[in-house]
Amino acid sequence: MNVKIITDSACDLPNSYYSEYDIEFLPLLVHLNDQDYEDVTGIESKKVYDAMKDGAIPKTSQVSPDTFLQVFSTYVEQNQPIVYVGFSSELSGTLQSAKIAQQQILEENPDAKVYVEDTKCASLGQGLVVLRAAQLAKDGADAEQIVETVQYHAHHMEHIFTVDDLEYLQRGGRVSKAAAFFGGLLNIKPLLHVEDGNLVPLEKIRGAKKVKVLKRMFEVMEERGKELNQQTIAISHGDDLETAKKLASIIKETYKPKNILIGDIGSAIGAHAGPGTIALFFLNDLYQ
């Protein structure tokens, strides 16, 4: 029996990948206008973005330990190994919920193969790690091989992104008030990245036009990326497909990567990043 890959909705993979690679995902919760929704299955990200443009302040909640326990137990009872490839523990308590469930299962069944891996990634950065794990599982790799590859890809995954308004990230505690203030100054666009699972401002780009920011994102990818023509590169967007396609076109023309995956930033991430976010994901080294 192949290893079962489980993730959460913060990975932002397009729905077709879940069925194609037999990935199970658990939805985070989104709280919007006094109602609770399951990310992906219960609400579309556009509804969240439209509400944010109208002044709403959505919030999110982690997946509960009970939910993980229920799902993990289903596969453990079938003696199927599990690898959970999770959202950065620096950005959500979801991974801690998974660890609580893992511990409870192992206390009752020490021989169970239940692995919980912190990608320190978000959105399609996490999604690319999940996808690689699922490809290995489909090819018959064992759990230990998959965990090793997940750890390597997670460690080498770059996140380069920009947001239209840092205020959204500041409200959710994802960046400091100072960073939000400086990012919001007239004619300055913030460029951010991820360090050890945390969102960190990288540069302040003068000039409000996104084309200038896209050019700089591409340059950072050139500086940090390795063997880009051998990679699947991902771009996620907050209700801005046109800009995502422009960035993809620039990358494709220059590097001709194996694949460029474009996807929506789902409600769980979008509730904090806000509409207009553009994010670029690639490896700074390839696993050999």
Side-chain angles (χ1 to χ4, degrees), residues 4 114 146:
K4 183 67 180 183
V114 181
I146 292 171

Side-chain angles (χ1 to χ4, degrees), residues 64-80:
S64 71
D66 284 345
T67 299
F68 276 110
L69 184 60
Q70 181 180 357
V71 173
F72 287 177
S73 296
T74 300
Y75 297 104
V76 169
E77 288 168 3
Q78 301 170 20
N79 293 317
Q80 185 167 9

Side-chain angles (χ1 to χ4, degrees), residues 81-276:
I82 300 165
V83 178
Y84 165 66
V85 185
F87 185 21
S88 172
S89 60
E90 299 296 329
L91 300 175
S92 171
T94 294
L95 193 104
Q96 183 59 32
S97 291
K99 283 186 174 294
I100 291 170
Q102 177 196 38
Q103 183 178 358
Q104 186 169 335
I105 287 174
L106 293 178
E107 285 174 355
E108 298 172 0
N109 185 353
D111 294 327
K113 289 200 168 189
V114 181
Y115 299 87
V116 172
E117 294 300 317
D118 185 355
T119 65
K120 299 293 182 77
C121 296
S123 190
L124 281 177
Q126 176 187 346
L128 288 178
V129 181
V130 172
L131 183 58
R132 183 62 187 135
Q135 289 168 342
L136 288 173
K138 193 173 183 179
D139 290 341
D142 63 29
E144 289 76 14
Q145 290 174 297
I146 292 171
V147 166
E148 181 185 356
T149 302
V150 163
Q151 291 174 349
Y152 188 93
H153 277 244
H155 181 69
H156 291 282
M157 187 62 65
E158 294 279 356
H159 303 56
I160 307 298
F161 67 103
T162 187
V163 296
D164 270 357
D165 190 345
L166 270 172
E167 179 68 20
Y168 294 124
L169 288 173
Q170 189 273 318
R171 285 175 185 168
R174 268 58 185 183
V175 297
S176 70
K177 289 184 178 180
F181 171 75
F182 286 113
L185 293 175
L186 185 65
N187 270 346
I188 289 179
K189 278 286 186 186
L191 200 64
L192 302 96
H193 68 143
V194 170
E195 285 183 3
D196 197 31
N198 288 295
L199 307 185
V200 181
L202 182 63
E203 297 177 7
K204 298 189 291 288
I205 300 173
R206 297 192 178 277
K209 291 185 177 179
K210 265 192 175 174
V211 65
K212 190 171 182 179
V213 182
L214 295 185
K215 181 175 181 294
R216 184 56 190 145
M217 291 174 73
F218 177 78
E219 290 171 350
V220 173
M221 186 187 71
E222 285 191 306
E223 295 163 5
R224 298 187 177 191
K226 297 287 178 64
E227 299 181 79
L228 294 167
N229 64 324
Q230 298 298 315
Q231 296 192 36
T232 293
I233 292 169
I235 300 168
S236 59
H237 65 93
D239 197 26
D240 194 355
L241 179 59
E242 182 180 349
T243 300
K245 285 182 174 179
K246 284 180 183 177
L247 181 56
S249 178
I250 295 169
I251 295 168
K252 190 178 295 185
E253 183 178 336
T254 307
Y255 285 106
K256 299 177 175 59
K258 288 173 65 176
N259 186 30
I260 297 183
L261 196 168
I262 299 176
D264 296 324
I265 297 174
S267 301
I269 301 291
H272 300 284

